[in-house]
Amino acid sequence: MPAAISLLNVIPDDKKNIFTKIIFKLLDRILAINKLDGLYRENKLHGLDKTSFAKSLLEGLNIQLLGLKELQAKIPKTGPVVIASNHPFGGIEGVFLAWAIEQVRPDIKVMANQGLKIFPELEDYFIFTNPLSEGDPKNAPSIRTCLKHVKTGGALLIFPAGRVSYFHKDTQRIADHSWNRLIASIANRANAHYLPIFVSGLNSPLFYRLGRIYFRFRILMLPRELVNKRNAKITVTAGEAIAIKHYAKGIDTGKQTELFRAQSYLLDPLWQKPWPADPVTELQPLVAEVSGDTILQEVQQLPDEQHLLDHKGLSVYFGYQSQLPNTVKEIARLRELVFREHNEGSGEPLDTDHFDATYTHLFVMKTHSGQIIGAYRMGQTDKLLADGNLENLYLHRMFNFGPDFVNRNQPCLEMGRSFLIPEYQRSFQGLFLLWRGIGAFVCLYPHYRTLYGTVSISKLYDVRSAAIIQQAMVTATNKVEPRAPFEHKLHPEVQDFARQHGLKEHVTALLQGIEPDGKDVPILLKHYNKLGAVFHCLGIDKNFNDTPGLLLSVDLPEAPEKLLKLYLGESWQEYKKTKSSK
């Protein structure tokens, strides 16, 4: 019969006597080690191989694990990967995560606390360290073993806190200790993918109360907490595997490790929610396409100055609905077609409103066929606000513009309703020609110094992604506010990271960890950011299927010289020097 699990086993035989046996048996009962021994015997765990042991232990405790299939689907099947999790329980999560990951990656190794040596059957999973003593020289061989394992294409699971989650007096929250920067060092040096995991759950109230008295009481309580997990339901939430290249260049390992930790807490299901139901529930059939011949006939009637440029079989024009009724109808049809792909649009046969009659339409078309490939709708605010009525601005319905906002003080172009047809959405040419057209337009009318408008954040993004973009990009002022604000709070641990470090340089990495299709920030947002845009606030467009829109403004003469040359051509210096008054 195998020896009983007892604290007495750590005492040398020559030190054992009646007194020590009584004391240690009492401690076994207090710390529930006797129950752990009973669990071993009841489920015949002694001597099993690691996989059978983990499975039998979970079955013996009758633990119901949720989210394991989703986790397994997100683990890279081959290649170096570092997997990290928060540490809410202090032991059992290491067992079930190793067991679950092994089914996808038989090469899994777990960097583990020496306390888990209490399970000798699991030793083949573990690479042991002493996390309570980061400078312990005995850890060096373990670290080298972990690094070699990942560098040679292996999978490594780490609990970088090195200790169980506890109550933090400063934040009044139960959370992990600071993570060890070793995790970032290994991931970077091995050029590994990083996979964040969040395990939901808490230990008993007594565990946290004793831990507040003395931190080592938490260690002594771990056997009791393990057996207390009998009949528990535990949820595991996995992010997406993130290539190290998506992290900011030059980021130090300390900050990167804190970001890794934030990415784990970002996955907490308690801080996730779906988008509200779309107000548009039924999509009507689109109207019939307007023929290219009809568009060419209208375009040929435009004054020469409204033909802005030609480039490789494409032409850029601007005009008004009164000049181009059929062309604007086709633009509205294509807008609806494209917006529906992004869960936007009106659901109507055309994406149109009364602003189409008063705004300027800048569009790119195929020179010889008349097929429209993209367009922008621009509001010339000096004309639209000639009577002082803000109702003439589309974005007035979405934002409350204060008297100090730029559109109330100088001529601006209100930019909106931009699109490219699907075959040009991944093409540099389409976006380039739209912006080359905008550049040609402002060179014709150089009193327009400022562009402002919104970038839509499609509801195909996770709500958390929209919140990250808002937190990262917005510089709030009292000059403008959304009429229907976007409201979603990120996990407090993520907010703490954002306050300390900001999110702007980390948006891509954060989105890569939660967007299943690898979406990054919208291309148009990236473009405006390169132009030096100021992002003012994020609001909900109640007239556009409740789509979030990020309001921004661009002081165009102050844009980077490289981009002014690209979009304004030879006239960029003359435009830059032009006075702002008309």
Side-chain angles (χ1 to χ4, degrees):
M1 179 177 289
I5 297 176
S6 171
L7 286 175
L8 193 61
N9 294 340
V10 304
I11 302 296
D13 289 340
D14 61 348
K15 301 291 185 182
K16 293 176 184 177
N17 54 47
I18 293 175
F19 178 73
T20 56
K21 288 179 180 179
I22 292 172
I23 293 297
F24 276 81
K25 283 187 177 181
L26 180 60
L27 285 173
D28 283 346
R29 293 181 66 85
I30 293 172
L31 301 177
I33 291 176
N34 63 321
K35 291 185 179 181
L36 189 58
D37 182 63
L39 182 68
Y40 250 75
R41 295 179 182 278
E42 178 186 345
N43 294 280
K44 301 178 180 178
L45 300 178
H46 286 282
L48 294 178
D49 65 85
K50 62 182 180 181
T51 307
S52 300
F53 176 90
K55 186 173 184 293
S56 296
L57 177 63
L58 296 172
E59 289 174 350
L61 289 170
N62 193 33
I63 292 176
Q64 184 180 354
L65 296 171
L66 307 177
L68 290 191
K69 288 185 178 179
E70 291 80 3
L71 162 64
Q72 291 167 341
K74 293 178 178 181
I75 299 169
K77 302 298 186 292
T78 58
V81 59
V82 173
I83 304 168
S85 173
N86 64 318
H87 210 9
F89 306 127
I92 192 64
E93 62 269 45
V95 176
F96 66 67
L97 285 178
W99 171 72
I101 295 168
E102 183 193 22
Q103 296 171 48
V104 179
R105 293 294 299 258
D107 60 344
I108 185 66
K109 289 292 183 181
V110 185
M111 181 176 253
N113 188 322
Q114 303 225 24
L116 284 175
K117 285 185 175 180
I118 196 171
F119 301 122
E121 293 81 5
L122 294 176
E123 283 196 21
D124 191 41
Y125 277 135
F126 299 139
I127 299 171
F128 291 109
T129 61
N130 181 4
L132 295 181
S133 180
E134 294 183 11
D136 189 340
K138 294 180 181 178
N139 287 338
S142 300
I143 293 170
R144 288 195 294 270
T145 300
C146 289
L147 179 59
K148 181 179 179 181
H149 177 66
V150 180
K151 274 189 169 183
T152 54
L156 179 69
L157 171 63
I158 307 181
F159 297 91
R163 62 195 74 178
V164 64
S165 299
Y166 59 92
F167 180 82
H168 294 250
K169 290 181 180 180
D170 55 344
T171 62
Q172 297 292 296
R173 294 193 296 269
I174 294 170
D176 267 13
H177 188 67
S178 298
W179 283 17
N180 192 313
R181 67 178 62 198
L182 176 67
I183 181 178
S185 176
I186 291 176
N188 292 341
R189 292 169 68 183
N191 194 27
H193 276 74
Y194 171 64
L195 180 67
I197 292 176
F198 184 84
V199 178
S200 301
L202 296 171
N203 280 327
S204 68
L206 178 62
F207 174 86
Y208 300 111
R209 285 197 293 269
L210 291 176
R212 294 178 71 175
I213 296 171
Y214 182 49
F215 77 95
R216 290 195 184 273
F217 286 163
R218 296 196 294 266
I219 300 173
L220 296 175
M221 285 285 289
L222 289 180
R224 177 174 292 276
E225 292 303 320
L226 189 149
V227 295
N228 282 349
K229 297 300 177 288
R230 191 182 295 273
N231 301 320
K233 182 185 289 185
I234 299 173
T235 298
V236 177
T237 307
E240 304 295 328
I242 310 159
I244 286 299
K245 67 179 181 181
H246 292 307
Y247 288 90
K249 288 182 174 61
I251 184 173
D252 67 79
T253 55
K255 186 190 295 186
Q256 186 177 354
T257 299
E258 291 181 50
L259 178 57
F260 280 1
R261 183 180 183 276
Q263 287 180 298
S264 176
Y265 280 95
L266 186 61
L267 303 173
D268 186 346
L270 294 178
W271 292 85
Q272 297 185 39
K273 67 177 184 180
W275 291 102
D278 291 339
V280 176
T281 58
E282 184 177 344
L283 301 178
Q284 299 183 32
L286 298 176
V287 298
E289 178 181 356
V290 175
S291 73
D293 288 342
T294 301
I295 292 170
L296 287 173
Q297 289 173 13
E298 290 186 340
V299 164
Q300 288 166 2
Q301 303 302 313
L302 292 174
D304 289 344
E305 71 170 14
Q306 290 179 232
H307 179 194
L308 296 172
L309 65 123
D310 297 306
H311 179 77
K312 295 184 178 180
L314 297 171
S315 300
V316 186
Y317 291 84
F318 75 91
Y320 304 91
Q321 191 177 55
S322 58
Q323 299 173 307
L324 305 161
N326 291 296
T327 302
V328 171
K329 181 180 179 182
E330 177 62 8
I331 288 172
R333 185 189 75 85
L334 290 172
R335 284 195 307 229
E336 181 66 21
L337 183 151
V338 172
F339 295 157
R340 287 182 184 184
E341 292 183 349
H342 300 277
N343 196 33
E344 299 168 4
S346 65
E348 301 294 326
L350 296 170
D351 174 67
T352 190
D353 53 34
H354 70 274
F355 295 99
D356 273 342
T358 56
Y359 275 56
T360 307
H361 300 273
L362 183 145
F363 57 97
V364 182
M365 71 174 200
K366 292 185 177 179
T367 305
H368 300 296
S369 69
Q371 181 190 5
I372 292 173
I373 71 158
Y376 248 110
R377 189 168 78 174
M378 307 187 300
Q380 298 168 257
T381 62
D382 50 333
K383 296 180 178 180
L384 297 172
L385 297 180
D387 61 358
N389 185 4
L390 286 170
E391 297 288 343
N392 295 330
L393 299 179
Y394 175 84
L395 287 181
H396 173 69
R397 303 194 298 181
M398 191 172 172
F399 300 98
N400 181 21
F401 294 112
D404 295 327
F405 194 73
V406 65
N407 62 359
R408 305 281 299 274
N409 293 286
Q410 68 182 64
C412 298
L413 291 179
E414 181 179 287
M415 313 295 293
R417 286 301 200 268
S418 65
F419 75 89
L420 287 166
I421 61 175
E423 52 264 48
Y424 281 85
Q425 287 174 8
R426 296 187 179 276
S427 161
F428 168 78
Q429 189 178 33
L431 186 61
F432 166 73
L433 284 178
L434 282 175
W435 277 88
R436 187 67 184 86
I438 292 167
F441 184 89
V442 298
C443 286
L444 278 177
Y445 305 102
H447 60 291
Y448 295 118
R449 319 297 287 168
T450 300
L451 315 178
Y452 76 93
T454 60
V455 173
S456 294
I457 310 297
S458 166
K459 287 181 286 185
L460 296 180
Y461 282 92
D462 190 284
V463 176
R464 291 167 296 168
S465 294
I468 289 165
I469 291 171
Q470 179 185 42
Q471 178 88 35
M473 307 304 295
V474 166
T475 304
T477 69
N478 59 3
K479 296 180 180 180
V480 60
E481 60 184 15
R483 298 186 184 278
F486 168 83
E487 295 177 331
H488 178 76
K489 290 186 177 179
L490 295 168
H491 192 289
E493 297 293 323
V494 181
Q495 293 183 46
D496 287 349
F497 176 87
R499 280 189 289 270
Q500 184 174 357
H501 300 293
L503 295 184
K504 195 166 186 177
E505 66 174 334
H506 308 303
V507 175
T508 293
L510 288 165
L511 266 58
Q512 289 289 318
I514 55 180
E515 292 295 338
D517 58 357
K519 285 194 293 295
D520 199 350
V521 297
I523 293 295
L524 193 55
L525 189 155
K526 281 187 175 182
H527 184 73
Y528 277 121
N529 192 46
K530 289 178 181 178
L531 286 167
V534 175
F535 298 91
H536 300 281
C537 53
L538 183 61
I540 303 297
D541 192 342
K542 307 302 290 186
N543 299 287
F544 195 52
N545 199 22
D546 283 3
T547 300
L550 185 61
L551 180 69
L552 60 96
S553 61
V554 175
D555 184 356
L556 197 54
E558 297 304 314
E561 182 178 307
K562 177 181 177 181
L563 295 179
L564 288 178
K565 289 179 179 179
L566 182 64
Y567 298 131
L568 275 66
E570 295 178 357
S571 302
W572 75 272
Q573 288 178 308
E574 183 180 350
Y575 171 80
K576 189 175 174 71
K577 294 176 183 177
T578 302
K579 300 295 182 182
S580 60
S581 59
K582 187 173 179 177

